[in-house]
């Protein structure tokens, strides 16, 4: 809406250069999504994710291309396939925006996010092959398969290699001269651009390279070698980048709509109908066809997965509302618009590309309708829906906290003995260590599983403690602010103490 208002009222025009758009916005966002995506869930759900990201994209391209040409005979097959290909990938930024309004269950969200991370490459590749067939008039299945394999495999390899190389250089510099927080954050911000540009330089998929770079970086971060300050500040910076980039993408998307819709009278002349309202019919027909295809695919894949479950227990029923949620959540967004704008203006013989403006108009219409439909329908479909049980990670969390507390107690005891050796006041070290170890002993006791009721009471006690600590920290901060405002403490000291309170509060928010 903001972008649309800027275009209509202030006559603001932002030329959308697809290559720059993918580099500046899509690459860092997909890199961040790949870095944050839970790798265990990615591996567990690899079947439905890969099926949706590759097989469903191919089916949508083939069946959608045939259907689009059937609906609009004046649109050549090559352009129909190109339009279907670029409409096949779901948009990760749009999925996240929709999820903010309609809280989608974690398992479904993981499938949607994993699918949207990977299907951009397959969709853009299918479109590139269709455009090549349109401009040259030739199509080779073996060449198309080879192109897709190179784009995907080389893109993933480049993303991994670039991240590992940068990580080694960064580790060497940190060991030699120490870790600079600002430098570490800057390197993480530049990494998706390096991976994307390196992949595009060898004609591989820069999108997949950015995703692979983010996934690889998350594995390297597991070593925990970075300073705590680096991790905290880097997370804050990336949250800001994600928020700003997501917002700007939709502003640019809205700004492009008036210029695209202004060509409606010109576009309708390229079809067999001359009434402008037929364009809306085309758009809704395409949205309905895409949703129906996705509905059938999701229903079939869920049935197949559930019937293959091991064990004698009866598989849970697949409700139509659950399938409808998965179908409508596959919204199209900025990647579709950026991709369709790469359609060439002329063919190989110099003649204008037939139905180019029509394809762009239809893609823009599908984006708007799919976004609005998902925003309106998903909250209603998700209300009171019965979902398969989600796995609980509470026991894993308890075991991890107990293990971490035990390791901390051993480290405190060893360090205390080393520090007190040869000192005149060893009791001071022992008393301080005992006081700290008591905190960890309490953590172990409250997390140790005995009986179900005791565990529940322990969790209630943890929640009570969290609220009390937040109340105390809030009072600390208010008092420090008051002291600083009355100049009873200097500004630098007040800022330092308030930051300490803020960092403690992060543990409980």
């Amino acid at each position: 809406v903001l972008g649309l208002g800027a275009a209509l009222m202030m006559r603001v025009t932002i030329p959308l250069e697809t290559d720059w758009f993918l580099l500046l916005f899509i690459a860092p966002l997909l890199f961040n999504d790949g870095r944050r995506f839970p790798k265990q869930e990615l591996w567990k759900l690899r079947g439905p994710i890969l099926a949706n990201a590759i097989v469903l994209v191919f089916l949508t391209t083939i069946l959608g291309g045939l259907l689009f040409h059937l609906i609009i005979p004046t649109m050549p097959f090559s352009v129909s396939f190109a339009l279907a290909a670029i409409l096949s990938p779901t948009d990760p930024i749009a999925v996240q925006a929709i999820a903010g309004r309609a809280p989608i269950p974690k398992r479904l969200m993981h499938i949607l996010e994993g699918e949207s991370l990977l299907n951009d490459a397959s969709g853009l590749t299918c479109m590139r092959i269709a455009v090549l067939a349109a401009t040259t008039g030739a199509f080779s299945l073996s060449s198309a398969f080879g192109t897709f394999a190179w784009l995907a495999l080389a893109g993933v390899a480049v993303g991994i290699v670039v991240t590992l190389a940068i990580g080694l250089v960064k580790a060497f510099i940190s060991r030699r001269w120490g870790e600079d927080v600002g430098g570490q954050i800057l390197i993480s911000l530049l990494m998706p651009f390096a991976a994307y540009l390196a992949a595009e330089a060898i004609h591989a998929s820069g999108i997949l390279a950015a995703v692979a770079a983010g996934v690889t970086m998350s594995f390297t971060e597991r070593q925990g070698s970075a300073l705590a300050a680096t991790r905290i500040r880097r997370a804050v910076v990336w949250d800001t980048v994600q928020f700003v980039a997501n917002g700007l993408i939709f502003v640019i998307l809205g700004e492009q709509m008036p210029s695209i819709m202004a060509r409606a009278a010109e576009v309708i002349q390229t079809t067999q109908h001359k009434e402008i309202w037929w364009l809306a019919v085309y758009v809704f027909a395409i949205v309905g066809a895409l949703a129906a295809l996705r509905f059938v695919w999701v229903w079939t894949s869920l049935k197949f997965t559930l019937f293959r479950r091991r064990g004698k227990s009866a598989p849970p029923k697949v409700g139509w509302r659950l399938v409808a949620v998965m179908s409508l959540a596959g919204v199209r967004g900025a990647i579709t618009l950026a991709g369709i704008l790469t359609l060439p203006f002329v063919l190989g013989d110099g003649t204008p590309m037939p139905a180019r403006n029509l394809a762009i108009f239809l893609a823009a219409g599908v984006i708007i309708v799919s976004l609005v439909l998902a925003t309106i329908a998903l909250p209603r479909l998700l209300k009171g829906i019965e979902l398969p049980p989600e796995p609980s990670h509470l026991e894993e969390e308890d075991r991890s906290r107990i293990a971490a507390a035990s390791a901390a107690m051993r480290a405190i005891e060893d360090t205390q003995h080393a520090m007190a050796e040869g000192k005149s006041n060893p009791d001071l070290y022992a008393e301080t260590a005992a006081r700290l170890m008591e905190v960890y002993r309490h953590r172990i006791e409250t997390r140790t599983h005995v009986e179900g009721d005791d565990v529940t009471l322990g969790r209630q006690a943890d929640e009570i403690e969290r609220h009390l600590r937040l109340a105390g920290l809030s009072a600390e901060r208010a008092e420090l602010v008051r002291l600083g405002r009355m100049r009873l403490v200097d500004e630098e000291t007040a800022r330092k103490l308030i930051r300490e309170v803020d960092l403690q509060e992060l543990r409980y928010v």
Side-chain angles (χ1 to χ4, degrees):
V1 171
L2 185 63
L4 187 63
L8 293 176
M9 293 184 290
M10 296 184 286
R11 305 297 180 184
V12 176
T13 302
I14 304 174
L16 184 59
E17 296 289 340
T18 303
D19 293 337
W20 283 103
F21 182 82
L22 293 175
L23 173 64
L24 296 178
F25 292 99
I26 305 303
L29 286 175
L30 291 183
F31 170 85
N32 193 41
D33 289 340
R35 186 175 66 88
R36 292 182 172 182
F37 195 89
K39 308 308 172 294
Q40 188 175 4
E41 295 298 326
L42 182 63
W43 178 251
K44 285 181 180 179
L45 301 172
R46 63 190 182 277
I49 288 176
L50 291 176
N52 288 357
I54 298 177
V55 182
L56 181 57
V57 168
F58 289 158
L59 285 177
T60 304
T61 301
I62 296 171
L63 298 179
L66 295 173
L67 180 63
F68 298 167
H69 179 73
L70 181 63
I71 296 174
I72 312 174
T74 56
M75 180 181 288
F77 271 114
S78 55
V79 179
S80 298
F81 284 125
L83 176 60
I86 201 58
L87 287 174
S88 58
T90 55
D91 192 280
I93 294 94
V95 169
Q96 291 173 358
I98 295 298
R101 293 178 52 83
I104 300 175
K106 284 186 178 181
R107 191 181 303 173
L108 299 185
M109 195 62 197
H110 287 154
I111 294 176
L112 291 170
E113 288 181 336
E115 170 193 1
S116 61
L117 283 175
L118 302 177
N119 62 12
D120 299 327
S122 52
L124 291 171
T125 302
C126 290
M127 180 186 170
R128 185 180 300 186
I129 294 170
V131 170
L132 185 64
T135 54
T136 62
F139 174 77
S140 170
L141 184 61
S142 60
S143 176
F145 179 79
T147 300
F148 177 78
W150 170 257
L151 286 168
L153 297 179
V156 171
V158 167
I160 295 174
V161 170
V162 167
T163 305
L164 292 178
I166 293 176
L168 289 175
V169 174
K170 185 173 62 173
F172 172 78
I173 293 175
S174 297
R175 287 194 304 269
R176 187 72 181 270
W177 293 285
E179 181 175 321
D180 179 73
V181 175
Q184 296 285 327
I185 296 174
L186 178 60
I187 290 173
S188 72
L189 290 174
L190 295 178
M191 201 173 291
F193 304 117
Y196 182 92
L197 292 174
E200 291 293 324
I202 61 172
H203 305 290
S205 172
I207 295 296
L208 272 182
V211 174
V215 174
T216 306
M217 183 178 177
S218 70
F219 279 110
T220 60
E221 286 180 341
R222 288 184 178 181
Q223 300 175 1
S225 56
L227 295 175
T230 299
R231 290 194 295 270
I232 292 174
R233 294 181 186 178
R234 183 172 57 195
V236 173
V237 169
W238 269 109
D239 285 344
T240 305
V241 169
Q242 184 178 34
F243 178 81
V244 173
N246 280 345
L248 285 177
I249 281 177
F250 284 104
V251 170
I252 294 174
L253 184 63
E255 187 276 333
Q256 298 293 314
M257 291 305 165
S259 61
I260 293 175
M261 299 303 173
R263 305 189 193 124
E266 174 189 346
V267 166
I268 195 62
Q269 300 301 321
T270 62
T271 69
Q272 68 270 32
H273 301 98
K274 304 306 176 185
E275 296 84 2
I276 291 182
W277 57 266
W278 270 100
L279 291 176
V281 174
Y282 294 150
V283 169
F284 282 101
I286 293 174
V287 171
L290 293 175
L293 176 60
R294 188 174 176 87
F295 185 94
V296 173
W297 171 263
V298 171
W299 184 86
T300 305
S301 61
L302 282 178
K303 282 286 187 182
F304 181 72
T305 302
L306 293 176
F307 276 117
R308 288 186 58 190
R309 286 179 44 166
R310 297 178 180 178
K312 298 182 180 180
S313 59
K317 295 181 180 180
V318 180
W320 70 268
R321 289 172 64 188
L322 177 63
V323 181
V325 167
M326 286 290 293
S327 303
L328 291 178
V331 295
R332 277 71 186 177
I335 291 179
T336 294
L337 182 62
I340 199 66
L341 290 176
T342 62
L343 275 177
F345 288 92
V346 295
L347 301 176
D349 58 2
T351 58
M353 170 71 76
R356 181 182 186 274
N357 287 337
L358 175 61
I360 294 175
F361 183 92
L362 293 177
V366 170
I367 291 171
I368 295 175
V369 173
S370 66
L371 282 172
V372 173
L373 184 63
T375 304
I376 295 175
L378 280 181
R380 290 165 174 77
L381 286 173
L382 287 167
K383 188 176 182 179
I385 189 174
E386 292 185 8
L387 296 166
E390 297 275 355
S392 175
H393 299 284
L394 292 177
E395 293 186 5
E396 295 180 9
E397 179 181 337
D398 287 343
R399 289 197 301 269
S400 300
R401 289 184 182 275
I402 292 171
S406 300
M409 290 174 63
R410 291 192 298 269
I412 290 173
E413 188 173 8
D414 294 340
T415 306
Q416 175 252 320
H417 289 308
M419 294 176 66
E421 187 176 356
K423 298 295 177 33
S424 59
N425 53 348
D427 292 342
L428 177 61
Y429 293 88
E431 291 173 2
T432 305
R435 187 169 62 252
L436 292 175
M437 291 171 67
E438 184 61 31
V439 175
Y440 290 104
R441 286 196 187 94
H442 175 71
R443 183 181 300 178
I444 293 175
E445 291 172 0
T446 57
R447 294 288 173 176
T448 302
H449 289 281
V450 281
E451 299 295 335
D453 292 340
D454 293 337
V455 174
T456 303
L457 289 175
R459 297 196 189 284
Q460 291 178 352
D462 288 346
E463 187 65 18
I464 293 171
E465 180 183 350
R466 188 180 76 87
H467 283 286
L468 293 176
R469 285 186 179 273
L470 287 174
L473 291 171
S474 178
E476 278 191 62
R477 183 167 43 242
E479 180 63 18
L480 291 172
V481 170
R482 187 187 70 84
L483 293 174
R485 189 185 302 119
M486 298 180 65
R487 298 180 182 178
L488 298 176
V489 64
D490 66 272
E491 183 178 354
E492 185 176 352
T493 302
R495 188 184 298 117
K496 175 186 174 182
L497 295 177
I498 290 174
R499 176 173 172 77
E500 290 179 0
V501 173
D502 292 341
L503 290 175
Q504 291 183 62
E505 189 179 68
L506 287 177
R507 295 177 54 197
Y508 304 101
V509 174

